[in-house]
Amino acid sequence: MEQWEFGRAVRRWRDRVAPETAGLPVGRRRRAAGLRREELAGLAGISADYLTRLEQGRATAPSVQVVQALARALRLSGPDRDLLYRLAGHAPPGADVVPSHIPPSVQRLLDRLAHTPVVVYDATWTLVVANAPYDALMGETSGWHGLERNAVWRNLAGFPTRVVHTPQEQARHTALLVADLRQTASRYPADRSLRRLIDDLAAASPRFTELWEGEAPAPPSEPSRHKTVEHPAVGRITLDCDTLVVTADDLRITVYTAEPGTDDADRLALAVVLGTQTLTGSA
C-alpha cells in the first residue's frame, strides 16, 4: 500500500460522517458536511497535528490503538474497519481475537446515553471507551495506559477508586472478574494479546495466580444492581449499576442511573455537571 492511501481513506471517511451523528453541534457557519479534522482528532483521542500528518502521508506507522480509535470515531462498519487496518499495515482482528470494535449500531446506543455515565469494556475487562459523564462521576480515564486500562489489574493492584466496597465485597468482586477473564481465555485461546495480559497479571500479582488456579466463586443468587460512589464534590451517591453484554461483539456496557426525583439523582446530576465543566475547562 502507498503511504498516502491510509490518509486518503481517513479523509474520505471523515468527510462522510455528519457531525450530528457524532454528537457534535452543527453551527450555521459550518461549510463541511463531515467532521472537521480537530473534531475527529478529539473523538479519537489523538492530537489534531498527528491526524494532519496521517492524512497528508507524513506520519506512516499508526499503531493498532490509533487505528482502532479512528475506526470507532469514524463509525466504520466491519469491512471498512478491516480495510483501515490493512492500509495501516496491520492485520485486521480475526474471529480468534477478543473484539474491541464498537459497531455503528452500538455507537448509536451510546449516543442516546450521552448524558448518562457509561463505560464500555471488552471481554478481557480492558477499557474501550468511557463517556464524559462517566469520567465526571468516577474520575478521568484518558490518562490510563497499558495495564491501567484493565479492570482486573486495577482491582488486584488496589488502584484508587471512588466506588465504596467492604473488604469482603472487594475480594469477591475481584474473584468474579478473574473467573470471567478465565472464561474469556477459553473462548479465545489463540489471542496473543490476551495471553500477554494473563502473563503480565500473573507476574505482577500472586493473588491473580491464586484466583486463576482456584475454583471460580459461585455467582450470587441475586446480583446487586447497586453501587455506592464517594464523589469528592457531592458526597456519596447510591446508583443503579447495570451491565449489558453485547453478545455478538463480546462487549460489556455498564450504565449508572438513579431513580428520578431522589437525592441520589440530584447528586448524580450535579456530579456530572461539575465534572464535565472541569473536563471541558481543562481540555
Side-chain angles (χ1 to χ4, degrees):
M1 296 290 181
E2 294 290 342
Q3 294 176 347
W4 48 264
E5 289 188 18
F6 178 88
R8 277 184 54 179
V10 170
R11 174 61 188 269
R12 182 172 67 252
W13 282 317
R14 175 165 67 82
D15 286 343
R16 79 181 190 187
V17 178
E20 57 268 26
T21 66
L24 299 172
V26 182
R28 293 181 179 179
R29 298 183 179 180
R30 190 179 194 95
R31 296 179 181 177
L35 297 177
R36 297 188 179 101
R37 189 173 283 148
E38 62 271 16
E39 291 171 337
L40 175 58
L43 291 170
I46 62 177
S47 72
D49 176 68
Y50 182 50
L51 179 58
T52 299
R53 289 186 285 118
L54 284 173
E55 289 191 349
Q56 295 176 350
R58 294 185 290 116
T60 58
S63 68
V64 169
Q65 291 75 18
V66 167
V67 176
Q68 175 186 329
L70 285 170
R72 182 175 65 246
L74 290 166
R75 296 158 186 262
L76 298 183
S77 62
D80 285 343
R81 177 206 62 177
D82 291 352
L83 175 58
L84 191 66
Y85 271 84
R86 293 189 184 99
L87 291 174
H90 300 297
D96 56 349
V97 173
V98 176
S100 58
H101 178 63
I102 298 179
S105 59
V106 175
Q107 186 60 59
R108 288 193 295 271
L109 172 64
L110 300 180
D111 292 342
R112 291 181 177 273
L113 297 171
H115 302 291
T116 302
V118 178
V119 61
V120 181
Y121 290 94
D122 68 16
T124 69
W125 289 100
T126 296
L127 178 70
V128 177
V129 65
N131 67 2
Y134 178 87
D135 281 0
L137 175 67
M138 295 294 193
E140 177 66 41
T141 61
S142 64
W144 295 358
H145 301 287
L147 277 178
E148 288 181 323
R149 298 182 66 81
N150 183 263
V152 181
W153 165 248
R154 293 184 67 82
N155 279 272
L156 283 166
F159 271 68
T161 176
R162 294 179 181 178
V163 177
V164 179
H165 275 150
T166 67
Q168 294 78 11
E169 289 170 339
Q170 179 61 48
R172 180 169 179 77
H173 178 61
T174 302
L176 288 170
L177 285 175
V178 173
D180 192 61
L181 180 62
R182 189 163 58 188
Q183 291 184 7
T184 297
S186 70
R187 296 198 302 276
Y188 302 94
D191 189 323
R192 295 181 180 179
S193 294
L194 173 55
R195 177 53 55 188
R196 284 196 298 271
L197 171 64
I198 294 168
D199 290 344
D200 289 344
L201 290 170
S205 172
R207 177 61 176 158
F208 172 79
T209 302
E210 179 184 340
L211 291 171
W212 186 265
E213 296 177 352
E215 292 187 10
S221 56
E222 295 184 6
S224 174
R225 298 175 59 179
H226 302 290
K227 188 166 287 188
T228 299
V229 176
E230 186 73 53
H231 191 275
V234 304
R236 290 202 172 191
I237 319 171
T238 299
L239 301 169
D240 290 325
C241 174
D242 295 283
T243 297
L244 316 174
V245 178
V246 184
T247 305
D249 302 290
D250 220 350
L251 298 171
R252 290 94 173 92
I253 304 175
T254 302
V255 184
Y256 296 85
T257 60
E259 184 178 350
T262 63
D263 290 342
D264 287 312
D266 292 340
R267 284 191 285 268
L268 174 60
L270 180 58
V272 169
V273 168
L274 294 175
T276 51
Q277 286 178 344
T278 300
L279 291 172
T280 301
S282 61

